[in-house]
Amino acid sequence: MITKVAQEIDKVSSQLILKEAFYAHFFSGIIKNISEILPTLAVEARENRIVLHVNPSFWTDVLKEQIFQYGGIKHEILHIVLLHIIRYKEFSHHGIFNVAADLVVNQLIDRKELIKEAVFLELFPELN
């Protein structure tokens, strides 16, 4: 399964190069770690490197369609671009920060590229 996920990640990388070079530029320098260490996708800054963690079960079971894999990768790249992987340390409640950061990046991605479980502003009407 890991080999299949790695091949699909390579496909997404090729699509980014052809369609959205901005994202491809960031994605090319990221270390890809396919493992069960985290339940979904996540990026982290570790020892002056950026690592993308991909849970293979999440990739194949939740991000089943290529368009969702593409959107998921863009979502993680935007966390890098917007410095969320560094700024989260400034906040005492990392869970709230994570939701807020997801709300920000999801506004910058075409909704058809995101899974139905993605968070959007309308889920929080009290924020106006």
Side-chain angles (χ1 to χ4, degrees):
M1 176 177 355
I2 289 177
T3 302
K4 178 181 182 262
V5 171
Q7 290 170 342
E8 290 174 355
I9 290 171
D10 286 344
K11 269 188 196 173
V12 171
S13 183
S14 296
Q15 288 178 333
L16 288 170
I17 290 167
L18 295 171
K19 296 179 183 177
E20 300 184 80
F22 174 80
Y23 291 99
H25 172 75
F26 285 93
F27 195 57
S28 66
I30 298 173
I31 297 166
K32 287 82 174 173
N33 176 40
I34 303 168
S35 73
E36 302 279 341
I37 194 167
L38 295 172
T40 59
L41 302 180
V43 283
E44 74 167 329
R46 185 192 323 158
E47 300 171 5
N48 296 323
R49 294 187 173 145
I50 297 173
V51 178
L52 168 69
H53 297 283
V54 178
N55 179 301
S57 298
F58 180 79
W59 183 269
T60 57
D61 298 341
V62 178
L63 302 179
K64 297 175 197 177
E65 298 178 40
Q66 195 172 34
I67 194 163
F68 298 141
Q69 295 166 353
Y70 186 85
I73 294 297
K74 283 174 55 175
H75 175 99
E76 295 305 325
I77 292 169
L78 284 166
H79 282 308
I80 298 164
V81 171
L82 298 173
L83 303 177
H84 293 161
I85 62 173
I86 298 167
R87 296 207 50 228
Y88 81 93
K89 297 173 188 174
E90 301 170 19
F91 298 87
S92 59
H93 198 297
H94 294 161
I96 292 173
F97 177 81
N98 190 49
V99 171
D102 284 349
L103 285 169
V104 170
V105 300
N106 288 346
Q107 291 180 72
L108 302 172
I109 301 171
D110 188 328
R111 284 192 182 212
K112 72 178 183 229
E113 297 174 353
L114 296 170
I115 58 175
K116 67 178 184 220
E117 296 84 5
V119 294
F120 296 103
L121 288 173
E122 58 267 16
L123 295 174
F124 301 91
E126 65 276 10
L127 297 177
N128 288 329

